[in-house]
């Protein structure tokens, strides 16, 4: 990733490392509760609602090339069961670790003339900007990895009836009488014969009515 651009220290997901300093081995622990940003999770499947509280526990460690951030995020996620389509909620805990590099140091902590000389290396790196780092991209990746790709309301959820869509958990004895396809043609034939019999009966009754009128 390229160098961060104009980080805002008022953003709750932007952290300041000035107090930590650049002495290798220095440690700082932080806790913060922030509002979840938009689309935090698997869009259309499950995620943390926008504005919901996200509890962060962070450990910042100063190393030669930057600041190593290790942390845990906890929040409540909401989604839909993929089997029965009912709403569901779960407690999310996502762990992460990321290096935020000093823009004036290479991988071995040596000062370099210009950051970003090696575009390929910079592409996958996160950088500090004036001692600040943005945790949002790291948080997003961690949450996506921690969430189930196919959430279910319970492990043994039976899902929906394939024929009528009824929720099987609400009616464990729900079933449909199975019809043997080998008898389906005969049932159709029987129905046709019954209809024919009705037509014949109707015809006979009509003729009888005509005969009665003629006799009168």
């Amino acid at each position: 990733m390229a160098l961060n651009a104009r980080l805002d220290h008022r953003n709750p997901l932007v952290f300041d490392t000035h107090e930590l300093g650049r002495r290798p081995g220095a440690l700082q622990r932080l806790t913060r509760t922030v509002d979840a940003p938009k689309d935090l999770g698997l869009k259309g499947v499950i995620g943390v609602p926008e504005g919901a509280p996200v509890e962060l526990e962070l450990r910042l460690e100063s190393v030669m090339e930057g600041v190593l951030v290790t942390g845990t995020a906890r929040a409540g996620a909401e989604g839909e069961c993929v089997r029965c389509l009912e709403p569901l909620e779960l407690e999310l805990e996502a762990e992460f670790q990321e290096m935020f590099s000093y823009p004036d140091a290479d991988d071995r902590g040596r000062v370099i003339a210009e950051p970003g000389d090696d575009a390929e290396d910079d592409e996958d790196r996160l950088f500090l900007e004036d001692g600040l780092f943005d945790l949002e991209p790291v948080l997003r990746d961690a949450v996506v990895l921690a969430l189930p790709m196919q959430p279910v309301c319970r492990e043994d959820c039976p899902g929906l009836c394939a024929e009528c869509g009824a929720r099987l958990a609400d009616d464990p004895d729900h079933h449909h009488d199975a019809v043997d396809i080998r008898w389906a043609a005969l049932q159709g034939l029987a129905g046709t014969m019954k209809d024919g019999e009705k037509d014949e009966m109707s015809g006979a009754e009509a003729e009888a009515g005509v005969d009665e009128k003629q006799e009168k």
Side-chain angles (χ1 to χ4, degrees):
M1 180 178 288
L3 292 175
N4 296 325
R6 300 184 180 279
L7 295 183
D8 185 352
H9 69 278
R10 295 170 296 182
N11 184 332
L13 286 172
V14 170
F15 290 81
D16 191 335
T17 66
H18 285 102
E19 185 177 338
L20 175 68
R22 293 186 61 160
R23 181 174 59 82
L27 294 175
Q28 184 179 12
R29 297 183 185 275
L30 300 172
T31 58
R32 183 181 296 182
T33 300
V34 302
D35 293 339
K38 185 178 180 180
D39 298 329
L40 182 59
L42 300 168
K43 192 172 183 179
V45 181
I46 189 171
V48 181
E50 183 178 3
V54 180
E55 297 179 2
L56 299 173
E57 293 184 4
L58 304 180
R59 178 178 183 269
L60 280 53
E61 181 180 0
S62 179
V63 294
M64 290 291 293
E65 62 270 27
V67 175
L68 180 65
V69 179
T70 305
T72 302
R74 297 183 179 86
E78 298 178 1
E80 186 178 83
C81 177
V82 296
R83 296 179 188 170
C84 68
L85 307 182
E86 286 292 306
L88 62 83
E89 298 180 358
L90 61 83
E91 292 301 314
L92 167 74
E93 182 171 305
E95 297 183 348
F96 51 86
Q97 186 174 74
E98 187 65 54
M99 170 68 71
F100 289 87
S101 300
Y102 296 126
D104 60 350
D106 66 9
D107 290 336
R108 286 169 290 184
R110 298 178 305 187
V111 175
I112 55 179
E114 291 186 20
D117 283 345
D118 191 332
E120 292 184 1
D121 289 344
D122 289 347
E123 185 177 355
D124 297 324
R125 295 172 65 185
L126 294 173
F127 289 88
L128 293 164
E129 180 195 323
D130 296 329
L132 304 175
F133 68 86
D134 185 2
L135 191 66
E136 183 171 338
V138 178
L139 177 63
R140 288 187 178 280
D141 290 345
V143 168
V144 168
L145 291 175
L147 287 171
M149 298 293 291
Q150 295 186 317
V152 291
C153 58
R154 67 187 200 195
E155 291 299 325
D156 60 346
C157 175
L160 302 176
C161 173
E163 294 190 35
C164 68
R167 188 169 182 263
L168 297 179
D170 296 334
D171 184 8
D173 297 326
H174 179 86
H175 71 282
H176 295 269
D177 294 331
V179 177
D180 193 325
I181 59 174
R182 293 174 296 180
W183 294 100
L186 293 178
Q187 289 180 343
L189 179 60
T192 303
M193 292 178 63
K194 290 180 180 179
D195 292 340
E197 292 174 356
K198 290 180 180 179
D199 293 340
E200 291 177 1
M201 291 178 64
S202 298
E205 291 175 354
E207 291 179 1
V210 171
D211 293 340
E212 289 179 359
K213 290 181 179 180
Q214 290 176 348
E215 289 177 0
K216 292 180 180 179

